[in-house]
Amino acid sequence: DHIIVCGYGRNGNQAVSKLLAYNKNFVVIDHDEKVLEPLYDSGMLYINGNATEDEVLKEAGIERASTLMCTLPGDADNVFIVLSAKQLNEKLKIISRATKESTTYKLKLAGADNVIMPDKIGGDHMASLVVTPDLVEFLGHLSVSRQEGSINIEEMDFDHICTDGQEHAIKELDLRKKTGCTVIGYRAPDGNYSVNPDPDMIIRKNSKLIFIGKPEQIEKLKQTYKD
Amino acid sequence: DHIIVCGYGRNGNQAVSKLLAYNKNFVVIDHDEKVLEPLYDSGMLYINGNATEDEVLKEAGIERASTLMCTLPGDADNVFIVLSAKQLNEKLKIISRATKESTTYKLKLAGADNVIMPDKIGGDHMASLVVTPDLVEFLGHLSVSRQEGSINIEEMDFDHICTDGQEHAIKELDLRKKTGCTVIGYRAPDGNYSVNPDPDMIIRKNSKLIFIGKPEQIEKLKQTYKD
Ligand SMILES: [Ca+2]
Ligand SMILES: [Ca+2]
């Protein structure tokens, strides 16, 4: 039930630092011995090998892994690895990087669940700094990562919120009064999202609420409903 | 008062499509005639030239531009352009891409206000899909861009909210009742942000509130307070 990260370049490096912050189990594969050097005494698992070879994926435990991340710079390599991995473990969740737009479709055909194009995300971000600078600044202040020791957005399942197992309207639960947090989203049992749900909305079984708050309010939320 | 976009690769391309959506004035510079071909009959302004040459920057109107975006693949080129541009127009807002971490500092020394590293943003995003998938999904449903004909987050100045020019507590204004929108942030006059501000918080002059809402609620907000 671990994560395999193919490629330890800038992309893979950043992904790994986030996985570490969340105490996830992972193994890194890179064919370049030099980029793996910083991992030697880190206690992190790595394999010096080529992820395009089935043997290397097997050595990384692909058959029992939960997730594969392909971060290689070459689109062809990523497509090849996704195809191989899917054959070795059909249940694998696969996230891949792509350079060219046209690769996105190929990666999805090969079995990738999510495709990330860093250049597109980067270009979009650059323009946002011009067209909505204050909003970018605000979103940059929101931490959704435990990495920085603070978190502003958290989700909570029906089971944790409606402790009696009954469906309630959001306003019945006095969530703001009890925790200080504000409800900003609702994920319905069918996976549809409502942004800024109405206080009268009924929280259904198998749904989730999304909250915003200061770190201490999020902490209060978790203590109140998760512990 | 226009934007100069240096480089029309994937990064520049994506930035331009966002600028277009916001009806911003811009001119694209690229030394590669071929990448500019799609712009020929678009009505968009472009210069086929090398942005590392002062003459080309001048031709693009650098002296009267508001913003420069450097999206070139080479870090040295971006640093060079930032330095040149800052000499030609000291007031320019400069946003640059960087590939290597170590370039970030050099770009800021040279005069860049914001530095974007696409590989880092991409790697971070990939890991987020594993460690906080539901939150990524929710944030993905938030549109901060008029591009898609819907917007979920908007900011509003003190002047628009406190129409009598007096400072009021957030709760006095009944914003949720009047618009349906929820206040999720406050930008103080000194530029500091409060996430999920207290309803008792006083809205100071020269501050801003940040709202979340469904597109029709955001529309109501704008109609109520901006028109
Ligand atoms: Ca603004
Ligand atoms: Ca989750």
Side-chain angles (χ1 to χ4, degrees), chain B residues 76-111:
Chain B
D77 284 340
N78 286 328
V79 170
F80 191 89
I81 296 168
V82 170
L83 264 175
S84 312
K86 201 74 186 176
Q87 279 183 301
L88 294 167
N89 178 351
E90 217 196 328
K91 289 182 182 168
L92 209 56
K93 172 168 178 169
I94 301 178
I95 300 165
S96 180
R97 166 192 186 163
T99 304
K100 288 188 197 161
E101 184 84 55
S102 56
T103 308
T104 301
Y105 182 61
K106 288 173 187 142
L107 282 164
K108 294 210 163 170
L109 265 185

mmCIF file of all heavy atoms in Angstrom, chain B residues 76-111:
data_model
loop_
_atom_site.group_PDB
_atom_site.id
_atom_site.type_symbol
_atom_site.label_atom_id
_atom_site.label_comp_id
_atom_site.label_asym_id
_atom_site.label_seq_id
_atom_site.Cartn_x
_atom_site.Cartn_y
_atom_site.Cartn_z
ATOM 1 N N ALA B 76 19.105 31.727 -17.816
ATOM 2 C CA ALA B 76 20.029 32.838 -18.099
ATOM 3 C C ALA B 76 19.327 33.903 -18.947
ATOM 4 O O ALA B 76 19.470 35.106 -18.687
ATOM 5 C CB ALA B 76 21.277 32.328 -18.807
ATOM 6 N N ASP B 77 18.558 33.460 -19.924
ATOM 7 C CA ASP B 77 17.818 34.412 -20.766
ATOM 8 C C ASP B 77 16.836 35.225 -19.930
ATOM 9 O O ASP B 77 16.734 36.445 -20.080
ATOM 10 C CB ASP B 77 17.055 33.673 -21.873
ATOM 11 C CG ASP B 77 17.985 33.207 -22.995
ATOM 12 O OD1 ASP B 77 19.097 33.765 -23.110
ATOM 13 O OD2 ASP B 77 17.605 32.275 -23.729
ATOM 14 N N ASN B 78 16.112 34.556 -19.063
ATOM 15 C CA ASN B 78 15.130 35.269 -18.239
ATOM 16 C C ASN B 78 15.807 36.293 -17.326
ATOM 17 O O ASN B 78 15.330 37.420 -17.188
ATOM 18 C CB ASN B 78 14.294 34.274 -17.421
ATOM 19 C CG ASN B 78 13.278 33.529 -18.282
ATOM 20 O OD1 ASN B 78 12.760 34.065 -19.259
ATOM 21 N ND2 ASN B 78 12.999 32.280 -17.931
ATOM 22 N N VAL B 79 16.921 35.910 -16.689
ATOM 23 C CA VAL B 79 17.649 36.842 -15.829
ATOM 24 C C VAL B 79 18.107 38.049 -16.639
ATOM 25 O O VAL B 79 17.965 39.197 -16.213
ATOM 26 C CB VAL B 79 18.870 36.158 -15.164
ATOM 27 C CG1 VAL B 79 19.755 37.193 -14.472
ATOM 28 C CG2 VAL B 79 18.408 35.111 -14.150
ATOM 29 N N PHE B 80 18.639 37.789 -17.820
ATOM 30 C CA PHE B 80 19.133 38.863 -18.694
ATOM 31 C C PHE B 80 18.017 39.833 -19.064
ATOM 32 O O PHE B 80 18.180 41.056 -19.000
ATOM 33 C CB PHE B 80 19.750 38.243 -19.960
ATOM 34 C CG PHE B 80 20.509 39.211 -20.800
ATOM 35 C CD1 PHE B 80 21.861 39.434 -20.577
ATOM 36 C CD2 PHE B 80 19.881 39.923 -21.817
ATOM 37 C CE1 PHE B 80 22.577 40.336 -21.351
ATOM 38 C CE2 PHE B 80 20.585 40.832 -22.596
ATOM 39 C CZ PHE B 80 21.933 41.036 -22.354
ATOM 40 N N ILE B 81 16.863 39.275 -19.427
ATOM 41 C CA ILE B 81 15.723 40.117 -19.823
ATOM 42 C C ILE B 81 15.208 40.941 -18.643
ATOM 43 O O ILE B 81 14.912 42.131 -18.777
ATOM 44 C CB ILE B 81 14.583 39.262 -20.417
ATOM 45 C CG1 ILE B 81 15.057 38.599 -21.721
ATOM 46 C CG2 ILE B 81 13.339 40.103 -20.681
ATOM 47 C CD1 ILE B 81 14.121 37.512 -22.232
ATOM 48 N N VAL B 82 15.125 40.312 -17.470
ATOM 49 C CA VAL B 82 14.646 41.021 -16.282
ATOM 50 C C VAL B 82 15.556 42.210 -15.979
ATOM 51 O O VAL B 82 15.086 43.333 -15.739
ATOM 52 C CB VAL B 82 14.554 40.074 -15.059
ATOM 53 C CG1 VAL B 82 14.295 40.854 -13.783
ATOM 54 C CG2 VAL B 82 13.458 39.035 -15.281
ATOM 55 N N LEU B 83 16.871 41.972 -16.030
ATOM 56 C CA LEU B 83 17.836 43.051 -15.785
ATOM 57 C C LEU B 83 17.673 44.189 -16.798
ATOM 58 O O LEU B 83 17.625 45.368 -16.424
ATOM 59 C CB LEU B 83 19.263 42.515 -15.880
ATOM 60 C CG LEU B 83 19.949 42.125 -14.575
ATOM 61 C CD1 LEU B 83 21.309 41.508 -14.860
ATOM 62 C CD2 LEU B 83 20.097 43.331 -13.647
ATOM 63 N N SER B 84 17.586 43.828 -18.074
ATOM 64 C CA SER B 84 17.441 44.841 -19.127
ATOM 65 C C SER B 84 16.161 45.632 -18.945
ATOM 66 O O SER B 84 16.145 46.864 -19.019
ATOM 67 C CB SER B 84 17.396 44.179 -20.514
ATOM 68 O OG SER B 84 18.437 43.253 -20.659
ATOM 69 N N ALA B 85 15.080 44.912 -18.694
ATOM 70 C CA ALA B 85 13.770 45.538 -18.598
ATOM 71 C C ALA B 85 13.713 46.525 -17.433
ATOM 72 O O ALA B 85 13.170 47.623 -17.553
ATOM 73 C CB ALA B 85 12.693 44.462 -18.447
ATOM 74 N N LYS B 86 14.290 46.129 -16.317
ATOM 75 C CA LYS B 86 14.269 46.973 -15.123
ATOM 76 C C LYS B 86 15.017 48.281 -15.379
ATOM 77 O O LYS B 86 14.645 49.331 -14.845
ATOM 78 C CB LYS B 86 14.903 46.202 -13.958
ATOM 79 C CG LYS B 86 14.514 46.701 -12.583
ATOM 80 C CD LYS B 86 13.101 46.308 -12.219
ATOM 81 C CE LYS B 86 12.661 46.930 -10.902
ATOM 82 N NZ LYS B 86 11.251 46.625 -10.604
ATOM 83 N N GLN B 87 16.070 48.208 -16.209
ATOM 84 C CA GLN B 87 16.818 49.424 -16.548
ATOM 85 C C GLN B 87 16.006 50.356 -17.438
ATOM 86 O O GLN B 87 16.118 51.561 -17.351
ATOM 87 C CB GLN B 87 18.119 49.053 -17.261
ATOM 88 C CG GLN B 87 19.232 48.630 -16.307
ATOM 89 C CD GLN B 87 20.513 48.356 -17.064
ATOM 90 O OE1 GLN B 87 20.526 47.492 -17.952
ATOM 91 N NE2 GLN B 87 21.577 49.071 -16.742
ATOM 92 N N LEU B 88 15.178 49.746 -18.281
ATOM 93 C CA LEU B 88 14.387 50.547 -19.224
ATOM 94 C C LEU B 88 13.122 51.111 -18.597
ATOM 95 O O LEU B 88 12.581 52.109 -19.069
ATOM 96 C CB LEU B 88 14.024 49.709 -20.458
ATOM 97 C CG LEU B 88 15.208 49.290 -21.344
ATOM 98 C CD1 LEU B 88 14.800 48.211 -22.334
ATOM 99 C CD2 LEU B 88 15.779 50.508 -22.082
ATOM 100 N N ASN B 89 12.626 50.446 -17.557
ATOM 101 C CA ASN B 89 11.402 50.909 -16.890
ATOM 102 C C ASN B 89 11.390 50.402 -15.457
ATOM 103 O O ASN B 89 11.037 49.256 -15.183
ATOM 104 C CB ASN B 89 10.173 50.414 -17.662
ATOM 105 C CG ASN B 89 8.866 50.825 -17.001
ATOM 106 O OD1 ASN B 89 8.861 51.340 -15.873
ATOM 107 N ND2 ASN B 89 7.762 50.587 -17.689
ATOM 108 N N GLU B 90 11.757 51.289 -14.560
ATOM 109 C CA GLU B 90 11.950 50.888 -13.172
ATOM 110 C C GLU B 90 10.650 50.473 -12.480
ATOM 111 O O GLU B 90 10.658 49.718 -11.522
ATOM 112 C CB GLU B 90 12.588 52.055 -12.412
ATOM 113 C CG GLU B 90 13.617 51.614 -11.371
ATOM 114 C CD GLU B 90 13.911 52.753 -10.414
ATOM 115 O OE1 GLU B 90 13.858 53.935 -10.855
ATOM 116 O OE2 GLU B 90 14.159 52.472 -9.232
ATOM 117 N N LYS B 91 9.517 51.009 -12.983
ATOM 118 C CA LYS B 91 8.235 50.762 -12.305
ATOM 119 C C LYS B 91 7.561 49.469 -12.725
ATOM 120 O O LYS B 91 6.510 49.103 -12.198
ATOM 121 C CB LYS B 91 7.274 51.920 -12.609
ATOM 122 C CG LYS B 91 7.655 53.211 -11.921
ATOM 123 C CD LYS B 91 6.627 54.288 -12.241
ATOM 124 C CE LYS B 91 6.985 55.623 -11.602
ATOM 125 N NZ LYS B 91 6.153 56.709 -12.143
ATOM 126 N N LEU B 92 8.138 48.801 -13.705
ATOM 127 C CA LEU B 92 7.575 47.583 -14.270
ATOM 128 C C LEU B 92 7.340 46.508 -13.205
ATOM 129 O O LEU B 92 8.185 46.261 -12.352
ATOM 130 C CB LEU B 92 8.593 47.049 -15.273
ATOM 131 C CG LEU B 92 8.165 46.251 -16.481
ATOM 132 C CD1 LEU B 92 7.152 47.017 -17.311
ATOM 133 C CD2 LEU B 92 9.414 45.960 -17.327
ATOM 134 N N LYS B 93 6.180 45.879 -13.250
ATOM 135 C CA LYS B 93 5.959 44.666 -12.457
ATOM 136 C C LYS B 93 6.485 43.491 -13.278
ATOM 137 O O LYS B 93 6.120 43.332 -14.446
ATOM 138 C CB LYS B 93 4.471 44.485 -12.156
ATOM 139 C CG LYS B 93 4.159 43.139 -11.506
ATOM 140 C CD LYS B 93 2.751 43.056 -10.951
ATOM 141 C CE LYS B 93 2.516 41.674 -10.364
ATOM 142 N NZ LYS B 93 1.285 41.593 -9.588
ATOM 143 N N ILE B 94 7.347 42.688 -12.670
ATOM 144 C CA ILE B 94 8.010 41.618 -13.430
ATOM 145 C C ILE B 94 7.737 40.243 -12.825
ATOM 146 O O ILE B 94 7.954 40.017 -11.635
ATOM 147 C CB ILE B 94 9.531 41.864 -13.505
ATOM 148 C CG1 ILE B 94 9.818 43.210 -14.185
ATOM 149 C CG2 ILE B 94 10.223 40.721 -14.246
ATOM 150 C CD1 ILE B 94 11.285 43.565 -14.265
ATOM 151 N N ILE B 95 7.244 39.345 -13.663
ATOM 152 C CA ILE B 95 6.967 37.971 -13.259
ATOM 153 C C ILE B 95 7.812 37.060 -14.144
ATOM 154 O O ILE B 95 7.746 37.161 -15.367
ATOM 155 C CB ILE B 95 5.477 37.639 -13.465
ATOM 156 C CG1 ILE B 95 4.608 38.593 -12.629
ATOM 157 C CG2 ILE B 95 5.189 36.189 -13.111
ATOM 158 C CD1 ILE B 95 3.143 38.598 -13.037
ATOM 159 N N SER B 96 8.610 36.217 -13.543
ATOM 160 C CA SER B 96 9.452 35.351 -14.367
ATOM 161 C C SER B 96 9.343 33.895 -13.967
ATOM 162 O O SER B 96 9.134 33.554 -12.811
ATOM 163 C CB SER B 96 10.923 35.772 -14.280
ATOM 164 O OG SER B 96 11.714 34.919 -15.091
ATOM 165 N N ARG B 97 9.506 33.071 -14.943
ATOM 166 C CA ARG B 97 9.636 31.645 -14.756
ATOM 167 C C ARG B 97 11.084 31.328 -14.397
ATOM 168 O O ARG B 97 11.998 32.046 -14.800
ATOM 169 C CB ARG B 97 9.285 30.993 -16.083
ATOM 170 C CG ARG B 97 9.662 29.568 -16.176
ATOM 171 C CD ARG B 97 9.542 29.112 -17.612
ATOM 172 N NE ARG B 97 9.771 27.693 -17.660
ATOM 173 C CZ ARG B 97 9.427 26.921 -18.671
ATOM 174 N NH1 ARG B 97 8.846 27.439 -19.726
ATOM 175 N NH2 ARG B 97 9.670 25.629 -18.641
ATOM 176 N N ALA B 98 11.298 30.273 -13.621
ATOM 177 C CA ALA B 98 12.650 29.780 -13.366
ATOM 178 C C ALA B 98 12.627 28.261 -13.436
ATOM 179 O O ALA B 98 11.622 27.627 -13.109
ATOM 180 C CB ALA B 98 13.134 30.224 -11.991
ATOM 181 N N THR B 99 13.723 27.685 -13.889
ATOM 182 C CA THR B 99 13.823 26.229 -13.908
ATOM 183 C C THR B 99 14.522 25.733 -12.661
ATOM 184 O O THR B 99 14.019 24.882 -11.945
ATOM 185 C CB THR B 99 14.581 25.771 -15.179
ATOM 186 O OG1 THR B 99 13.900 26.298 -16.309
ATOM 187 C CG2 THR B 99 14.615 24.266 -15.267
ATOM 188 N N LYS B 100 15.687 26.328 -12.377
ATOM 189 C CA LYS B 100 16.454 25.905 -11.194
ATOM 190 C C LYS B 100 16.107 26.748 -9.984
ATOM 191 O O LYS B 100 15.938 27.959 -10.075
ATOM 192 C CB LYS B 100 17.953 26.057 -11.461
ATOM 193 C CG LYS B 100 18.523 25.048 -12.428
ATOM 194 C CD LYS B 100 20.040 25.193 -12.453
ATOM 195 C CE LYS B 100 20.630 24.513 -13.665
ATOM 196 N NZ LYS B 100 21.978 24.988 -13.964
ATOM 197 N N GLU B 101 16.087 26.116 -8.838
ATOM 198 C CA GLU B 101 15.856 26.791 -7.564
ATOM 199 C C GLU B 101 16.829 27.962 -7.383
ATOM 200 O O GLU B 101 16.445 29.050 -6.966
ATOM 201 C CB GLU B 101 16.072 25.767 -6.437
ATOM 202 C CG GLU B 101 15.793 26.264 -5.037
ATOM 203 C CD GLU B 101 14.306 26.158 -4.684
ATOM 204 O OE1 GLU B 101 13.756 25.056 -4.788
ATOM 205 O OE2 GLU B 101 13.727 27.195 -4.300
ATOM 206 N N SER B 102 18.080 27.735 -7.725
ATOM 207 C CA SER B 102 19.125 28.740 -7.487
ATOM 208 C C SER B 102 18.917 29.999 -8.332
ATOM 209 O O SER B 102 19.460 31.066 -8.023
ATOM 210 C CB SER B 102 20.508 28.155 -7.770
ATOM 211 O OG SER B 102 20.555 27.638 -9.083
ATOM 212 N N THR B 103 18.134 29.882 -9.381
ATOM 213 C CA THR B 103 17.874 31.053 -10.225
ATOM 214 C C THR B 103 16.884 32.012 -9.562
ATOM 215 O O THR B 103 16.896 33.218 -9.836
ATOM 216 C CB THR B 103 17.312 30.635 -11.602
ATOM 217 O OG1 THR B 103 18.174 29.669 -12.175
ATOM 218 C CG2 THR B 103 17.213 31.818 -12.542
ATOM 219 N N THR B 104 16.041 31.472 -8.712
ATOM 220 C CA THR B 104 15.009 32.292 -8.067
ATOM 221 C C THR B 104 15.609 33.541 -7.435
ATOM 222 O O THR B 104 15.151 34.661 -7.665
ATOM 223 C CB THR B 104 14.270 31.459 -6.995
ATOM 224 O OG1 THR B 104 13.695 30.329 -7.635
ATOM 225 C CG2 THR B 104 13.178 32.264 -6.315
ATOM 226 N N TYR B 105 16.657 33.355 -6.665
ATOM 227 C CA TYR B 105 17.294 34.469 -5.974
ATOM 228 C C TYR B 105 17.902 35.464 -6.964
ATOM 229 O O TYR B 105 17.766 36.672 -6.803
ATOM 230 C CB TYR B 105 18.357 33.935 -5.011
ATOM 231 C CG TYR B 105 19.053 34.999 -4.213
ATOM 232 C CD1 TYR B 105 18.347 35.831 -3.336
ATOM 233 C CD2 TYR B 105 20.427 35.197 -4.332
ATOM 234 C CE1 TYR B 105 18.985 36.816 -2.609
ATOM 235 C CE2 TYR B 105 21.077 36.181 -3.604
ATOM 236 C CZ TYR B 105 20.352 36.988 -2.747
ATOM 237 O OH TYR B 105 20.992 37.965 -2.027
ATOM 238 N N LYS B 106 18.531 34.909 -8.015
ATOM 239 C CA LYS B 106 19.134 35.784 -9.026
ATOM 240 C C LYS B 106 18.067 36.630 -9.722
ATOM 241 O O LYS B 106 18.267 37.817 -9.981
ATOM 242 C CB LYS B 106 19.896 34.947 -10.059
ATOM 243 C CG LYS B 106 21.188 34.363 -9.500
ATOM 244 C CD LYS B 106 21.856 33.395 -10.470
ATOM 245 C CE LYS B 106 23.039 32.726 -9.762
ATOM 246 N NZ LYS B 106 23.172 31.308 -10.127
ATOM 247 N N LEU B 107 16.942 36.017 -10.027
ATOM 248 C CA LEU B 107 15.866 36.755 -10.684
ATOM 249 C C LEU B 107 15.338 37.868 -9.783
ATOM 250 O O LEU B 107 15.041 38.974 -10.241
ATOM 251 C CB LEU B 107 14.728 35.803 -11.066
ATOM 252 C CG LEU B 107 14.973 34.964 -12.322
ATOM 253 C CD1 LEU B 107 13.998 33.791 -12.395
ATOM 254 C CD2 LEU B 107 14.853 35.831 -13.577
ATOM 255 N N LYS B 108 15.249 37.597 -8.484
ATOM 256 C CA LYS B 108 14.739 38.619 -7.568
ATOM 257 C C LYS B 108 15.749 39.752 -7.430
ATOM 258 O O LYS B 108 15.369 40.924 -7.406
ATOM 259 C CB LYS B 108 14.390 37.993 -6.229
ATOM 260 C CG LYS B 108 13.212 37.006 -6.362
ATOM 261 C CD LYS B 108 12.366 36.906 -5.110
ATOM 262 C CE LYS B 108 11.028 36.259 -5.470
ATOM 263 N NZ LYS B 108 10.228 35.892 -4.297
ATOM 264 N N LEU B 109 17.034 39.386 -7.361
ATOM 265 C CA LEU B 109 18.087 40.409 -7.350
ATOM 266 C C LEU B 109 17.998 41.276 -8.591
ATOM 267 O O LEU B 109 18.171 42.496 -8.536
ATOM 268 C CB LEU B 109 19.464 39.744 -7.339
ATOM 269 C CG LEU B 109 20.152 39.537 -5.995
ATOM 270 C CD1 LEU B 109 21.557 38.979 -6.228
ATOM 271 C CD2 LEU B 109 20.220 40.836 -5.197
ATOM 272 N N ALA B 110 17.740 40.645 -9.729
ATOM 273 C CA ALA B 110 17.686 41.366 -11.003
ATOM 274 C C ALA B 110 16.460 42.270 -11.089
ATOM 275 O O ALA B 110 16.419 43.194 -11.900
ATOM 276 C CB ALA B 110 17.696 40.378 -12.165
ATOM 277 N N GLY B 111 15.440 41.994 -10.237
ATOM 278 C CA GLY B 111 14.280 42.878 -10.218
ATOM 279 C C GLY B 111 12.927 42.216 -10.398
ATOM 280 O O GLY B 111 11.921 42.905 -10.517
#
